[in-house]
Amino acid sequence: LAYAAFLASGCTNDRRWRWLRARPPSSAVVLMHVCKRVQLRAAALAIGASASGGVLALSVPPSPRAASAPLFTFGIIADVQWADAEDGSNYDRTVVRHYRGAFRTLQRAVDWWRALPEPPSFIAQLGDIIDGVNVRLGQSAPALEAALSELRRAPCPSVNLVGNHELYNFDRRALSAAGWLRHGDREYYSFSPAAGWRVVVLDPYQLALIGHAQDDPRRLAAVELLRRKNPGVHPSGSGGAWFEGVRGYDRRFVPYNGGLGEEQLRWLRSELAAASAAGERVIVLCHVILEPRACGGSTMAWDYEEALEAVRSGEAGGCVAAVLCGHDHSGKYHCDDAGVHHCTFSSPLNKGDEGCAFGVVHVFADAIEIRGPRVDDALPIVRGGKPTGRPAARRCAADAFSGECESVRLPLRPAAR
């Protein structure tokens, strides 16, 4: 049956699968590899089905696995923010931004994913794939197409998140028609990459000064919120003394951050409750950080507290394994009291051609393993001279899942069923 499923799957393009096709159907090796390949195709189809709000029901038997094999794998990269421009700097001119080097890092990332012995189920591209400087250059569309063209070379689909730089370059009306996103205007949804697991994708700019039409209720709500929390911000989102008179975590109330909004928060609570009831574990993807201790303390979602309440609620039942974010270019890691791993991935802008801010995430029943050429480039163990609490990386010899690389293993606590 597995051999017949393989023949029907159309996965006969590369030499390895043509070789397997020529082997006797009774081969146990064929059985194992067929199930693996069909499962990968099923995951890709499930991701595609979520674009139209569809539910894909596939009766595909789970693949037989060695004890060391991950349940599924996905690539990870955040804040490429490339532009065809000379190196620049951040807003306060303290950090160099390697715009072209970031693009070449994306190219190396795709090459690295293509060279993996087994293709990932998907690539988690955590937002800000191009920089806002493209608006001034008149290069928004060409820069985006160049980045998407690179992602199309990857051996699997990309899950693309909305970040603030997408909204500097394109408004929500344009994004709602974008084929590289699922919905564009309300870019939050979930999908199942493997049995027992759910990926929840959040849109942290539902409440925002950027991207929305002037009279959009979500923008008007953002104007009112910032009027109360940070009157130094001009309602237009440009100008003003953004950090004058604001202290602590209130520094998050600035235009380059945003909020989930009550509609999305209700949806998030419902998704987590449903996942818990189904006995599923959850990985959350969000451009903006939800945990202050996983960043510098000012790049969180405006309503991060409500989001964390949902993650830690009794209804969620401890189903959330990890929250993976970008936005804060320096990256950081924090494991909270509930055992949720909050991973903020560094930007390729930081090191440009000298960096390797990308990798893969292997998901096991009892752990999440992050692998990459240099894990510290993607998820630092030290920030500002202080340890982040991330476990130390170890060298990993080439195996059935990657070439020689570095690895960090994050243990998972059992969910409270």
Side-chain angles (χ1 to χ4, degrees):
L1 288 175
Y3 189 73
F6 166 66
L7 293 179
S9 71
C11 299
T12 58
N13 292 330
D14 61 65
R15 286 178 295 175
R16 176 172 48 171
W17 301 108
R18 288 199 297 271
W19 181 88
L20 283 172
R21 189 177 186 180
R23 290 300 179 268
S26 60
S27 167
V29 174
V30 170
L31 177 62
M32 180 180 72
H33 286 286
V34 165
C35 290
K36 171 66 175 176
R37 195 68 172 187
V38 171
Q39 185 182 48
L40 286 172
R41 281 178 60 83
L45 287 169
I47 294 170
S50 70
S52 58
V55 177
L56 186 66
L58 291 173
S59 181
V60 178
S63 59
R65 294 176 180 275
S68 59
L71 300 174
F72 66 99
T73 294
F74 59 95
I76 193 87
I77 193 166
D79 296 80
V80 175
Q81 274 186 233
W82 102 275
D84 189 7
E86 298 298 323
D87 291 351
S89 63
N90 62 344
Y91 295 113
D92 56 10
R93 302 186 182 281
T94 58
V95 179
V96 174
R97 289 184 170 178
H98 303 277
Y99 293 120
R100 294 187 180 113
F103 182 77
R104 290 188 286 268
T105 301
L106 174 61
Q107 291 177 312
R108 293 199 309 279
V110 173
D111 290 341
W112 194 78
W113 295 322
R114 285 169 61 92
L116 294 172
E118 290 286 350
S121 296
F122 62 94
I123 304 300
Q125 189 273 110
L126 297 177
D128 282 4
I129 195 168
I130 63 174
D131 195 88
V133 73
N134 285 292
V135 176
R136 175 173 54 81
L137 298 173
Q139 294 293 312
S140 296
L144 175 64
E145 176 52 32
L148 294 178
S149 179
E150 286 302 316
L151 286 174
R152 286 194 291 269
R153 290 199 302 114
C156 56
S158 295
V159 174
N160 299 302
L161 275 61
V162 169
N164 48 309
H165 284 263
E166 278 78 16
L167 296 171
Y168 298 151
N169 283 276
F170 309 100
D171 61 22
R172 287 286 183 172
R173 182 177 179 181
L175 292 182
S176 67
W180 54 282
L181 295 173
R182 299 296 186 273
H183 310 293
D185 187 45
R186 286 174 168 81
E187 191 66 5
Y188 53 91
Y189 56 93
S190 69
F191 63 92
S192 176
W197 283 84
R198 186 180 304 208
V199 174
V200 170
V201 178
L202 297 180
D203 183 341
Y205 292 97
Q206 283 298 293
L207 295 184
L209 294 184
I210 52 178
H212 298 305
Q214 291 294 304
D215 59 351
D216 191 300
R218 295 168 292 181
R219 184 185 182 281
L220 296 177
V223 169
E224 173 58 22
L225 177 64
L226 292 188
R227 184 191 66 79
R228 291 186 286 108
K229 294 294 188 177
N230 187 356
V233 173
H234 191 275
S236 68
S238 61
W242 290 1
F243 297 102
E244 187 174 305
V246 289
R247 299 288 183 270
Y249 292 162
D250 279 354
R251 292 177 298 150
R252 72 185 186 276
F253 292 108
V254 289
Y256 54 73
N257 295 328
L260 302 177
E262 187 51 43
E263 177 184 312
Q264 186 174 188
L265 285 167
R266 284 196 302 270
W267 174 85
L268 175 61
R269 296 182 194 106
S270 176
E271 280 288 312
L272 298 182
S276 179
E280 296 174 341
R281 300 304 302 267
V282 172
I283 293 175
V284 176
L285 306 180
C286 186
H287 178 70
V288 179
I289 294 100
L290 302 185
E291 167 57 71
R293 291 166 292 185
C295 65
S298 64
T299 48
M300 304 86 71
W302 295 338
D303 46 6
Y304 79 86
E305 292 165 308
E306 291 86 344
L308 288 180
E309 285 176 8
V311 168
R312 297 165 181 168
S313 69
E315 291 76 14
C319 68
V320 177
V323 179
L324 311 184
C325 304
H327 197 43
D328 187 318
H329 292 184
S330 297
K332 203 174 180 185
Y333 167 82
H334 176 74
C335 184
D336 67 21
D337 293 341
V340 179
H341 298 283
H342 296 267
C343 302
T344 302
F345 289 90
S346 302
S347 170
L349 281 173
N350 295 345
K351 294 186 176 181
D353 290 319
E354 304 302 318
C356 295
F358 57 85
V360 292
V361 179
H362 292 314
V363 179
F364 301 85
D366 61 350
I368 290 174
E369 182 187 23
I370 299 170
R371 290 189 180 189
R374 288 201 300 270
V375 171
D376 277 353
D377 282 2
L379 186 67
I381 193 171
V382 174
R383 172 167 168 155
K386 298 180 180 179
T388 64
R390 195 212 76 194
R394 62 178 180 84
R395 290 300 305 174
C396 184
D399 59 19
F401 311 111
S402 68
E404 185 177 351
C405 62
E406 292 183 350
S407 167
V408 168
R409 194 172 178 91
L410 307 176
L412 298 180
R413 296 183 189 175
R417 301 286 184 236

